[in-house]
Amino acid sequence: QVQLVESGGGVVQPGGSLRLSCAASGFTFSSYGMHWVRQAPGKGLEWVAFIRYDGSNKYYADSVKGRFTISRDNSKNTLYLQMNSLRAEDTAVYYCAKDLSAGDASYYFDYWGQGTLVTVSS
Amino acid sequence: EIVLTQSPATLSLSPGERATLSCRASQSVSSYLAWYQQKPGQAPRLLIYDASNRATGIPARFSGSGSGTDFTLTISSLEPEDFAVYYCQQRSNWPPTFGPGTKVDIK
């Protein structure tokens, strides 16, 4: 069965950095685009970033562009999110999510991890 | 950016009743709309994609309809495990966006 397990969350000061990881299993990781989606406490869902199955294309929400970098290691079945210049408004649970479609992305999210909480506070 | 609005914000119903949730887009998204269910402390779960296609393993009591700007998620007969928050999401225009959610709670 598909499993996505995030790690790397925690408390960081404004301006600091954090790297999230998402370990994938139960499917052919190298065939699917992957996403990060976040949810601020008590709020709705916000798409953050996407990486193509082969890592050749990456897209970001305007709110994180230039500060966050999505990457993947298909040999380790792992997705990453490097977060720099963190702000209080980045405080959220960060989910990694698998794209519904193999190959070209559908931008629907059919499997999600359990999420990892990032708190930006002094 | 396409803005999705959902109504009502809260829907109070009893088990066995029919639930009808609405999602409206600020411009046409064709049929590129999904619905997700989220329970407290859990990740969202994909229910419906492309407006009316049930995702793998989703019970038949969940159905989606609509196109253009107006969409509906219907739960034909609420089970106890269906009380949750439901989000719609569009993928027609970049970036993908979500609605604010409808909470279905027990009356």
Side-chain angles (χ1 to χ4, degrees), chain B residues 25-49:
Chain B
S26 59
Q27 63 189 79
S28 176
V29 299
S30 185
S31 294
Y32 298 126
L33 189 107
W35 291 93
Y36 299 83
Q37 175 193 69
Q38 188 177 33
K39 298 177 183 179
Q42 295 186 18
R45 176 172 72 143
L46 177 65
L47 301 174
I48 301 286
Y49 65 95

Side-chain angles (χ1 to χ4, degrees), chain A residues 9-21:
Chain A
V11 180
V12 60
Q13 292 187 338
S17 299
L18 215 52
R19 188 199 200 201
L20 306 183
S21 299

Side-chain angles (χ1 to χ4, degrees), chain A residues 37 39 43-47 59-60 62 95 100 106-110 112-113, chain B residues 31-34 36 38 42-44 46 49-50 87 89 91 94-96 98:
Chain A
V37 179
Q39 186 170 36
K43 302 296 185 183
L45 300 163
E46 179 188 17
W47 173 82
Y59 302 106
Y60 301 92
D62 287 345
Y95 296 101
L100 175 66
S106 69
Y107 281 85
Y108 295 131
F109 320 111
D110 63 342
W112 300 59
Chain B
S31 294
Y32 298 126
L33 189 107
Y36 299 83
Q38 188 177 33
Q42 295 186 18
L46 177 65
Y49 65 95
D50 286 345
Y87 295 96
Q89 176 241 329
R91 53 137 282 189
W94 192 92
F98 292 87

